[in-house]
Structures are given as C-alpha cells and as structure tokens.
Amino acid sequence: MVTTIAVALITAVFGPILVSWARLKMEKKSPQTPMSDALETSTLVDTQLEIMMEELECDRIWIAQFHNGGYFYPTGRSIQKFSIFYEKCTPETLNIQQIFQNIPVSLFPRVLSKVYKDNELLVTDVQNAEDTYGLEYFTNQCNTKSICIIGLHSLDNHLIGIIGISFKEAHHLEKDEWIFLRQKVGVVGTLLSEYLYTTNKK
C-alpha cells in the first residue's frame, strides 16, 4: 500500500515535470538539422525505455510507429503499416526489430483493434489465456509468456504507435507497475508527438 502511494506520488509530481521539460527544451532550442532532431528525440526515448526495463524487469520492450506504406491500386488509398523503431532487450533475448519492418496492420487486426478501442492489451500467461488476440505465433517464435501492449498517442489524441513489454515467464503486473507504466507511456508519447509535429511544421 505504501509502495503504491509512493509510486503514485512520484508519478504525479515528476511525470508532468519531465514532459514540460522536454517540451520547453524543444521550444527553446536553436534551429537544428533533421538528423540532430532525430538523434535528440531518439536519445530521450531510449533513456525512457532503459528506465522502464530496469523498473519492470522485463525481457524486451519495443516501440512500433504507424506510417504510410505505399498506395492501393487503383484508388490511391494509403496502405497503413507499422515498423518497430525502438527496441531494448536483455542480453539473452532475441532482437525482433529487423523482423517487424513495414508490417501491414491487416496482419494483426485483433491486437490493433483492441488497443485502438481500449488503449491496452494484456496477456498475462499465453499458455493459459482465454484470448491471445492472435499472438500465438509471435509469442512462440519470440519465447514470450506474458505481453502487454499499450497505445501511444499524440498531444491531440491520435494513435501514433504502440509500446510492447514482454516477459519470458508469466508475469502479473501489480498496481504500482501499472501506474509507473502508464506514466512512462505518456512521457514517450509526448516525446514522439513533439518530434513528429515539430518536424512536420519545418
């Protein structure tokens, strides 16, 4: 109980401060090149992922972002795809970033529909879950027993990506872990949104 209250207090106080600091830093910085902007944002996001891995003691954490993947013939309608742009793993865990590049959203309709509607998806134990949302192949190939996927939103509440946390053993996220995780997801979403929107205005 004390731990939960402490985590909630830290989240409430320092979460908004970090987001405001990142926003102020980006607003005040002198004009930079696209490369320097990308590297600065990547460094900030990577730091957040390191903190999350250490706190949650997960085996893998990754961020996938949605992007245009070409156009359908003959209407010209945009093909919606996603790619993993960020990933951190324990030394003995398989890296999946190179596998999940330019993936059509149509390959994971149940997962993405669940996240789009409810913002979160959790499978605590793949082997005993009532619904794995079609993730059996992914979890089997990637040696995953537990997986949590949460939506990343822009400042105007558009879904711009997803963040995934996985464990090799069944893992039940405690209340204080959920509080910490949701706060960090908000920070990462803000960092990516600031980068995308600021870059788009240049």
Side-chain angles (χ1 to χ4, degrees), residues 102-114:
N102 292 308
I103 306 299
V105 298
S106 57
L107 290 181
F108 294 91
R110 294 184 61 204
V111 173
L112 297 176
S113 293
K114 171 69 174 174

Side-chain angles (χ1 to χ4, degrees), residues 1-201:
M1 181 64 178
V2 175
T3 301
T4 300
I5 294 174
V7 171
L9 180 60
I10 292 172
T11 297
V13 174
F14 292 104
I17 292 175
L18 179 58
V19 172
S20 298
W21 171 83
R23 182 180 297 146
L24 186 61
K25 184 178 179 63
M26 289 186 176
E27 288 177 351
K28 288 187 174 182
K29 65 184 180 181
S30 56
Q32 294 179 289
T33 65
M35 177 63 75
S36 62
D37 279 341
L39 290 174
E40 181 176 345
T41 299
S42 296
T43 299
L44 291 171
V45 172
D46 188 73
T47 299
Q48 293 302 309
L49 295 185
E50 286 185 354
I51 294 172
M52 294 170 73
M53 275 204 79
E54 182 177 351
E55 179 69 22
L56 298 172
E57 297 182 344
C58 56
D59 295 292
R60 179 190 298 111
I61 183 167
W62 49 267
I63 293 174
Q65 291 177 260
F66 299 112
H67 56 84
N68 188 326
Y71 300 93
F72 285 106
Y73 175 85
T75 64
R77 188 180 180 91
S78 176
I79 300 173
Q80 301 301 302
K81 293 186 177 183
F82 69 88
S83 297
I84 291 181
F85 282 80
Y86 301 89
E87 182 186 24
K88 300 195 81 65
C89 304
T90 57
E92 65 277 6
T93 301
L94 174 70
N95 182 289
I96 63 172
Q97 182 176 8
Q98 297 304 316
I99 300 173
F100 288 89
Q101 295 295 314
N102 292 308
I103 306 299
V105 298
S106 57
L107 290 181
F108 294 91
R110 294 184 61 204
V111 173
L112 297 176
S113 293
K114 171 69 174 174
V115 174
Y116 189 83
K117 178 182 178 181
D118 299 327
N119 195 50
E120 297 172 351
L121 179 155
L122 174 65
V123 180
T124 301
D125 186 349
V126 173
Q127 295 180 337
N128 298 304
E130 292 183 5
D131 193 346
T132 61
Y133 301 94
L135 285 169
E136 295 90 343
Y137 176 80
F138 173 85
T139 54
N140 289 338
Q141 293 296 313
C142 300
N143 191 22
T144 296
K145 295 275 184 72
S146 289
I147 185 167
C148 175
I149 299 176
I150 302 179
L152 292 168
H153 291 80
S154 65
L155 297 177
D156 52 358
N157 206 35
H158 289 297
L159 184 66
I160 58 175
I162 53 177
I163 185 166
I165 301 97
S166 61
F167 303 83
K168 291 182 179 179
E169 300 298 332
H171 181 84
H172 175 76
L173 287 172
E174 300 294 341
K175 184 176 180 179
D176 57 341
E177 290 180 310
W178 272 116
I179 294 172
F180 170 81
L181 180 55
R182 287 165 177 154
Q183 182 263 325
K184 286 300 183 184
V185 167
V187 172
V188 171
T190 299
L191 290 172
L192 292 177
S193 183
E194 288 281 3
Y195 170 71
L196 293 173
Y197 279 62
T198 301
T199 301
N200 193 43
K201 292 177 181 179

